[in-house]
Amino acid sequence: MKKVLLALLVLALLAGAAAGGWYQLREQRITEFAATAVTLATPVTVEIPSGTGPRALARLLTEQHVTTDAELLYLYIRRENLGPKLKAGEYEFSGDLTPTQALEKILSGQVKVYRFTVPEGLRAEEILPIVADSELKLDLKKLEALAASPAFLRKAGVPAQTIEGFLFPDTYTFTRNATEESVLTKMVARALEEYKHADADRKNGVKLDLLQTFTLASIVEKETGAPQERPRISCVFHNRLKKGMRLETDPTVIYAMRLLRGVYNKNITRKDLETLHPYNTYKVAGLPPGPIASPGTAALQAALHPIECEDLFFVSRNDGTHLFCPTYECHEANVRKWQVEFFRKPQKQGANSAHP
């Protein structure tokens, strides 16, 4: 009997040792697996749905070749108790990547993002296709419908009947779950945020409200591409408004003709200048009803904080900059030199239309 008990004890000890050895071997395999990199020749995007558990995640990453062994990855997740910390979303993996690094990206929620950039001075009809054509793959018709929806405009805080001028020029970052409404809402919010910053530095005596500020800023934006000129361009328009003079700014005429004809054409005719329209500042006094494009930060700041000047006129030097004058006689001489004589001479430079 003693021999039997002794034999059983020996067998138990051997079985325990075997089990301990197997466990240690398994732990070693898991550790080595977690630290062994996989080389991804091209980036791999994996969508992890909400509610995905450790085993499903391990299988998903292995099927997408982010890792090489679903069972070992599952065991690693279980061993480290990572299941409750995993975050759903769209993730991109690239280059040399260990399972540990792949999981760290998921644990920290480093989801894949998509970017698009809107330059300054574009109209809404130019901006919406940029958004639709981005990697977000949004629906242009839905974007256009929202941009024309009074309910959406009110909800987003747009103080006008159209979204023109309130799609702020910037580089935007979104995740795959972005919708047409969330994207446009963020763009409008950026515009209103920049207005608040500019308003905090508003010059004493400048009484423009929010809509008027965006309207004047959009004109300043379209009138010059030279950043240093914006506060002076703004000064000219403020001076003309104070004196009750018409602004007589070409970009508003171009915009008016776009609204009338449905076609954007930069060439202005005498008939255009004489066409009565709320946006034709050659015919209507004061600011037009709303913005003619989306102004950037510098233009908003210039609209609310013009420099001190006595200028009432400016004319293009045909190089992106302007000459300024306080009197019509001075302005007339500049027009003669830079818009008449300049183009009589043979040259390859492009022309800018005369300004106020």
Side-chain angles (χ1 to χ4, degrees), residues 45-194:
T45 299
V46 179
E47 176 70 31
I48 301 175
S50 179
T52 300
R55 189 174 290 281
L57 174 64
R59 185 168 55 250
L60 181 60
L61 293 181
T62 304
E63 290 172 351
Q64 297 295 324
H65 308 293
V66 176
T67 63
T68 58
D69 193 308
E71 184 63 23
L72 287 177
L73 182 60
Y74 167 69
L75 291 173
Y76 178 76
I77 295 172
R78 286 286 303 275
R79 187 183 79 180
E80 303 298 323
N81 194 29
L82 302 179
K85 303 175 185 177
L86 299 172
K87 295 179 173 64
E90 186 181 44
Y91 294 87
E92 183 176 85
F93 305 95
S94 60
D96 295 334
L97 195 72
T98 67
T100 300
Q101 291 171 328
L103 289 173
E104 284 175 353
K105 178 171 283 195
I106 298 170
L107 293 170
S108 60
Q110 297 177 38
V111 295
K112 184 177 181 180
V113 295
Y114 299 87
R115 295 180 175 85
F116 64 84
T117 299
V118 175
E120 297 171 340
L122 297 186
R123 304 182 308 282
E125 65 178 328
E126 298 172 294
I127 295 173
L128 296 181
I130 292 176
V131 178
D133 291 342
S134 71
E135 290 183 321
L136 288 172
K137 303 185 185 306
L138 298 179
D139 189 306
L140 179 58
K141 289 185 178 180
K142 289 183 180 178
L143 290 168
E144 291 172 339
L146 284 169
S149 165
F152 171 74
L153 296 178
R154 285 194 301 271
K155 182 179 177 182
V158 176
Q161 296 180 350
T162 73
I163 206 166
E164 191 74 87
F166 292 92
L167 296 174
F168 192 74
D170 201 355
T171 296
Y172 291 91
T173 302
F174 291 93
T175 56
R176 171 60 73 194
N177 62 355
T179 64
E180 289 79 8
E181 182 170 352
S182 66
V183 170
L184 294 187
T185 297
K186 183 174 181 177
M187 296 178 75
V188 172
R190 282 285 294 113
L192 299 178
E193 178 186 357
E194 288 302 314

Side-chain angles (χ1 to χ4, degrees), residues 76-332:
Y76 178 76
I77 295 172
R78 286 286 303 275
R79 187 183 79 180
E80 303 298 323
N81 194 29
L82 302 179
K85 303 175 185 177
L86 299 172
K87 295 179 173 64
E90 186 181 44
Y91 294 87
E92 183 176 85
F93 305 95
S94 60
D96 295 334
L97 195 72
T98 67
T100 300
Q101 291 171 328
L103 289 173
E104 284 175 353
K105 178 171 283 195
I106 298 170
L107 293 170
S108 60
Q110 297 177 38
V111 295
K112 184 177 181 180
V113 295
Y114 299 87
R115 295 180 175 85
F116 64 84
T117 299
V118 175
E120 297 171 340
L122 297 186
R123 304 182 308 282
E125 65 178 328
E126 298 172 294
I127 295 173
L128 296 181
I130 292 176
V131 178
D133 291 342
S134 71
E135 290 183 321
L136 288 172
K137 303 185 185 306
L138 298 179
D139 189 306
L140 179 58
K141 289 185 178 180
K142 289 183 180 178
L143 290 168
E144 291 172 339
L146 284 169
S149 165
F152 171 74
L153 296 178
R154 285 194 301 271
K155 182 179 177 182
V158 176
Q161 296 180 350
T162 73
I163 206 166
E164 191 74 87
F166 292 92
L167 296 174
F168 192 74
D170 201 355
T171 296
Y172 291 91
T173 302
F174 291 93
T175 56
R176 171 60 73 194
N177 62 355
T179 64
E180 289 79 8
E181 182 170 352
S182 66
V183 170
L184 294 187
T185 297
K186 183 174 181 177
M187 296 178 75
V188 172
R190 282 285 294 113
L192 299 178
E193 178 186 357
E194 288 302 314
Y195 168 78
K196 288 181 181 178
H197 293 325
D199 188 43
D201 193 36
R202 178 190 291 259
K203 185 177 180 180
N204 289 336
V206 174
K207 302 185 183 302
L208 301 178
D209 63 22
L210 192 153
L211 179 59
Q212 291 170 332
T213 299
F214 275 87
T215 301
L216 179 57
S218 71
I219 297 172
V220 171
E221 189 72 72
K222 296 298 284 186
E223 279 287 11
T224 182
Q228 71 277 6
E229 286 192 345
R230 291 187 179 113
R232 193 166 183 180
I233 295 280
S234 178
C235 173
V236 171
F237 290 131
H238 276 281
N239 288 345
R240 293 176 77 92
L241 288 170
K242 289 175 185 176
K243 291 180 176 291
M245 300 172 65
R246 289 189 293 270
L247 297 185
E248 297 185 351
T249 167
D250 292 357
T252 64
V253 181
I254 295 172
Y255 192 80
M257 296 306 105
R258 163 68 183 86
L259 294 178
L260 280 174
R261 300 167 183 163
V263 178
Y264 191 80
N265 190 337
K266 293 183 179 181
N267 295 320
I268 299 175
T269 66
R270 182 165 295 279
K271 181 180 179 181
D272 295 339
L273 295 175
E274 295 173 352
T275 300
L276 186 62
H277 190 278
Y279 278 87
N280 184 354
T281 56
Y282 279 83
K283 298 296 291 183
V284 178
L287 289 166
I292 60 173
S294 285
T297 298
L300 285 169
Q301 292 172 344
L304 289 176
H305 202 110
I307 65 168
E308 289 290 338
C309 75
E310 297 181 359
D311 301 312
L312 294 170
F313 306 91
F314 58 89
V315 65
S316 171
R317 283 193 281 207
N318 308 300
D319 63 356
T321 64
H322 298 81
L323 287 168
F324 296 82
C325 281
T327 66
Y328 184 74
E329 291 73 23
C330 167
H331 176 63
E332 192 175 34

Side-chain angles (χ1 to χ4, degrees), residues 6-65:
L6 181 60
L8 291 174
L9 178 60
V10 170
L11 289 174
L13 290 173
L14 290 174
W22 175 86
Y23 178 80
Q24 289 180 352
L25 181 61
R26 189 189 75 163
E27 290 302 297
Q28 183 179 350
R29 286 185 62 203
I30 294 172
T31 300
E32 290 176 351
F33 164 78
T36 302
V38 170
T39 299
L40 299 173
T42 58
V44 174
T45 299
V46 179
E47 176 70 31
I48 301 175
S50 179
T52 300
R55 189 174 290 281
L57 174 64
R59 185 168 55 250
L60 181 60
L61 293 181
T62 304
E63 290 172 351
Q64 297 295 324
H65 308 293

Side-chain angles (χ1 to χ4, degrees), residues 315 329-344:
V315 65
E329 291 73 23
C330 167
H331 176 63
E332 192 175 34
N334 284 337
V335 169
R336 187 165 51 252
K337 178 178 180 180
W338 292 97
Q339 297 297 312
V340 179
E341 296 174 2
F342 182 88
F343 292 108
R344 284 178 179 170

